[in-house]
Short mmCIF file of all heavy atoms in Angstrom, two decimals:
data_model
loop_
_atom_site.label_atom_id
_atom_site.label_comp_id
_atom_site.label_asym_id
_atom_site.label_seq_id
_atom_site.Cartn_x
_atom_site.Cartn_y
_atom_site.Cartn_z
N ARG A 1012 -0.11 1.54 15.24
CA ARG A 1012 -0.33 1.40 13.80
C ARG A 1012 0.21 2.61 13.08
O ARG A 1012 0.53 3.64 13.68
CB ARG A 1012 -1.82 1.28 13.47
CG ARG A 1012 -2.48 0.00 13.88
CD ARG A 1012 -3.84 -0.11 13.18
NE ARG A 1012 -3.69 -0.63 11.83
CZ ARG A 1012 -4.62 -0.53 10.88
NH1 ARG A 1012 -5.76 0.09 11.12
NH2 ARG A 1012 -4.41 -1.06 9.68
N GLN A 1013 0.28 2.51 11.77
CA GLN A 1013 0.61 3.63 10.90
C GLN A 1013 -0.66 4.27 10.34
O GLN A 1013 -0.58 5.12 9.46
CB GLN A 1013 1.52 3.17 9.77
CG GLN A 1013 2.88 2.69 10.26
CD GLN A 1013 3.74 2.15 9.14
OE1 GLN A 1013 3.27 1.41 8.28
NE2 GLN A 1013 5.01 2.53 9.15
N TRP A 1014 -1.84 3.88 10.87
CA TRP A 1014 -3.12 4.37 10.40
C TRP A 1014 -4.00 4.77 11.57
O TRP A 1014 -3.74 4.41 12.71
CB TRP A 1014 -3.83 3.29 9.56
CG TRP A 1014 -2.98 2.78 8.45
CD1 TRP A 1014 -2.16 1.69 8.48
CD2 TRP A 1014 -2.85 3.35 7.14
NE1 TRP A 1014 -1.52 1.55 7.26
CE2 TRP A 1014 -1.93 2.54 6.43
CE3 TRP A 1014 -3.42 4.46 6.51
CZ2 TRP A 1014 -1.57 2.82 5.12
CZ3 TRP A 1014 -3.06 4.74 5.20
CH2 TRP A 1014 -2.15 3.91 4.52
N ARG A 1015 -5.07 5.49 11.30
CA ARG A 1015 -5.96 5.99 12.34
C ARG A 1015 -6.92 4.94 12.86
O ARG A 1015 -7.27 4.95 14.04
CB ARG A 1015 -6.77 7.19 11.81
CG ARG A 1015 -5.95 8.39 11.43
CD ARG A 1015 -6.84 9.51 10.90
NE ARG A 1015 -7.67 10.08 11.95
CZ ARG A 1015 -7.30 11.13 12.68
NH1 ARG A 1015 -6.13 11.71 12.49
NH2 ARG A 1015 -8.13 11.59 13.61
N ALA A 1016 -7.38 4.05 12.00
CA ALA A 1016 -8.41 3.10 12.37
C ALA A 1016 -7.87 2.03 13.30
O ALA A 1016 -6.77 1.50 13.11
CB ALA A 1016 -8.99 2.45 11.12
N LEU A 1017 -8.66 1.69 14.32
CA LEU A 1017 -8.25 0.63 15.24
C LEU A 1017 -8.29 -0.73 14.55
O LEU A 1017 -8.94 -0.90 13.52
CB LEU A 1017 -9.14 0.63 16.49
CG LEU A 1017 -10.66 0.53 16.33
CD1 LEU A 1017 -11.11 -0.89 16.05
CD2 LEU A 1017 -11.33 1.06 17.59
N ASN A 1018 -7.58 -1.70 15.13
CA ASN A 1018 -7.51 -3.03 14.52
C ASN A 1018 -7.20 -4.06 15.60
O ASN A 1018 -6.48 -3.76 16.56
CB ASN A 1018 -6.43 -3.06 13.43
CG ASN A 1018 -6.63 -4.18 12.45
OD1 ASN A 1018 -6.36 -5.34 12.76
ND2 ASN A 1018 -7.10 -3.84 11.26
N VAL A 1019 -7.73 -5.26 15.44
CA VAL A 1019 -7.53 -6.32 16.43
C VAL A 1019 -6.38 -7.25 16.08
O VAL A 1019 -6.00 -8.09 16.89
CB VAL A 1019 -8.81 -7.16 16.61
CG1 VAL A 1019 -9.99 -6.27 16.99
CG2 VAL A 1019 -9.14 -7.95 15.34
N ALA A 1020 -5.80 -7.11 14.89
CA ALA A 1020 -4.76 -8.02 14.43
C ALA A 1020 -3.37 -7.48 14.76
O ALA A 1020 -3.03 -6.35 14.39
CB ALA A 1020 -4.89 -8.26 12.94
N ALA A 1021 -2.57 -8.29 15.43
CA ALA A 1021 -1.22 -7.88 15.78
C ALA A 1021 -0.39 -7.53 14.55
O ALA A 1021 0.45 -6.62 14.61
CB ALA A 1021 -0.53 -8.97 16.59
N SER A 1022 -0.64 -8.22 13.45
CA SER A 1022 0.12 -7.99 12.23
C SER A 1022 -0.11 -6.61 11.64
O SER A 1022 0.67 -6.17 10.79
CB SER A 1022 -0.21 -9.06 11.19
OG SER A 1022 -1.58 -9.02 10.83
N GLU A 1023 -1.15 -5.93 12.05
CA GLU A 1023 -1.46 -4.59 11.55
C GLU A 1023 -0.72 -3.49 12.29
O GLU A 1023 -0.82 -2.33 11.89
CB GLU A 1023 -2.97 -4.33 11.62
CG GLU A 1023 -3.78 -5.18 10.66
CD GLU A 1023 -3.50 -4.84 9.21
OE1 GLU A 1023 -3.34 -3.64 8.90
OE2 GLU A 1023 -3.42 -5.77 8.39
N TYR A 1024 0.02 -3.83 13.32
CA TYR A 1024 0.74 -2.84 14.11
C TYR A 1024 2.22 -2.87 13.78
O TYR A 1024 2.86 -3.93 13.81
CB TYR A 1024 0.51 -3.09 15.60
CG TYR A 1024 -0.91 -2.80 16.02
CD1 TYR A 1024 -1.92 -3.72 15.81
CD2 TYR A 1024 -1.23 -1.58 16.62
CE1 TYR A 1024 -3.22 -3.44 16.17
CE2 TYR A 1024 -2.53 -1.30 16.98
CZ TYR A 1024 -3.53 -2.24 16.75
OH TYR A 1024 -4.81 -1.96 17.12
N ALA A 1025 2.76 -1.71 13.48
CA ALA A 1025 4.13 -1.62 12.99
C ALA A 1025 5.17 -1.48 14.10
O ALA A 1025 6.32 -1.90 13.93
CB ALA A 1025 4.26 -0.44 12.03
N TYR A 1026 4.78 -0.90 15.23
CA TYR A 1026 5.73 -0.60 16.30
C TYR A 1026 5.28 -1.22 17.61
O TYR A 1026 4.09 -1.17 17.95
CB TYR A 1026 5.88 0.92 16.46
CG TYR A 1026 6.26 1.61 15.18
CD1 TYR A 1026 5.31 2.29 14.43
CD2 TYR A 1026 7.56 1.57 14.71
CE1 TYR A 1026 5.65 2.91 13.25
CE2 TYR A 1026 7.91 2.19 13.53
CZ TYR A 1026 6.94 2.87 12.79
OH TYR A 1026 7.29 3.48 11.62
N TRP A 1027 6.24 -1.77 18.35
CA TRP A 1027 5.94 -2.50 19.58
C TRP A 1027 6.87 -2.11 20.70
O TRP A 1027 8.06 -1.86 20.49
CB TRP A 1027 6.06 -4.01 19.34
CG TRP A 1027 5.01 -4.55 18.43
CD1 TRP A 1027 5.01 -4.52 17.07
CD2 TRP A 1027 3.80 -5.18 18.82
NE1 TRP A 1027 3.86 -5.11 16.58
CE2 TRP A 1027 3.11 -5.53 17.64
CE3 TRP A 1027 3.24 -5.51 20.06
CZ2 TRP A 1027 1.87 -6.17 17.67
CZ3 TRP A 1027 2.01 -6.15 20.09
CH2 TRP A 1027 1.34 -6.47 18.90
N GLY A 1028 6.33 -2.08 21.92
CA GLY A 1028 7.15 -1.95 23.09
C GLY A 1028 7.72 -3.29 23.51
O GLY A 1028 7.42 -4.33 22.92
N GLN A 1029 8.54 -3.28 24.55
CA GLN A 1029 9.19 -4.49 25.03
C GLN A 1029 8.29 -5.33 25.93
O GLN A 1029 8.57 -6.51 26.16
CB GLN A 1029 10.47 -4.14 25.78
CG GLN A 1029 11.57 -3.59 24.89
CD GLN A 1029 12.02 -4.59 23.85
OE1 GLN A 1029 11.78 -4.43 22.67
NE2 GLN A 1029 12.67 -5.65 24.30
N GLY A 1030 7.22 -4.76 26.43
CA GLY A 1030 6.28 -5.49 27.26
C GLY A 1030 6.54 -5.32 28.74
O GLY A 1030 7.65 -5.03 29.17
N THR A 1031 5.49 -5.51 29.53
CA THR A 1031 5.57 -5.46 30.98
C THR A 1031 4.79 -6.62 31.57
O THR A 1031 3.69 -6.94 31.12
CB THR A 1031 5.06 -4.10 31.51
OG1 THR A 1031 5.26 -4.02 32.92
CG2 THR A 1031 3.58 -3.88 31.19
N GLN A 1032 5.37 -7.27 32.57
CA GLN A 1032 4.77 -8.47 33.15
C GLN A 1032 3.66 -8.11 34.13
O GLN A 1032 3.85 -7.26 35.01
CB GLN A 1032 5.84 -9.30 33.87
CG GLN A 1032 5.30 -10.53 34.59
CD GLN A 1032 4.85 -11.61 33.62
OE1 GLN A 1032 5.57 -11.94 32.68
NE2 GLN A 1032 3.66 -12.16 33.87
N VAL A 1033 2.53 -8.77 33.97
CA VAL A 1033 1.42 -8.67 34.91
C VAL A 1033 1.16 -10.06 35.47
O VAL A 1033 0.93 -11.00 34.71
CB VAL A 1033 0.14 -8.12 34.25
CG1 VAL A 1033 -1.05 -8.22 35.21
CG2 VAL A 1033 0.36 -6.68 33.81
N THR A 1034 1.22 -10.19 36.78
CA THR A 1034 0.98 -11.47 37.44
C THR A 1034 -0.14 -11.30 38.46
O THR A 1034 -0.04 -10.44 39.34
CB THR A 1034 2.24 -11.99 38.13
OG1 THR A 1034 3.29 -12.12 37.16
CG2 THR A 1034 1.98 -13.35 38.76
N VAL A 1035 -1.17 -12.11 38.34
CA VAL A 1035 -2.32 -12.05 39.24
C VAL A 1035 -2.36 -13.34 40.04
O VAL A 1035 -2.50 -14.43 39.48
CB VAL A 1035 -3.63 -11.85 38.47
CG1 VAL A 1035 -4.79 -11.69 39.45
CG2 VAL A 1035 -3.53 -10.65 37.55
N SER A 1036 -2.25 -13.23 41.34
CA SER A 1036 -2.26 -14.39 42.22
C SER A 1036 -3.68 -14.73 42.63
O SER A 1036 -4.55 -13.85 42.75
CB SER A 1036 -1.40 -14.14 43.45
OG SER A 1036 -1.90 -13.06 44.21
#
């Protein structure tokens, strides 16, 4: 986020990583 307070909404986050796959068998 661009702010200190935590948030549960994805739309409130400005910057994102590319992601990493987690697979549980």
Side-chain angles (χ1 to χ4, degrees):
R1012 290 194 83 197
Q1013 295 176 316
W1014 306 93
R1015 297 179 69 91
L1017 55 78
N1018 201 285
V1019 304
S1022 62
E1023 292 294 320
Y1024 291 81
Y1026 306 101
W1027 292 82
Q1029 292 297 111
T1031 185
Q1032 177 71 47
V1033 172
T1034 302
V1035 184
S1036 62

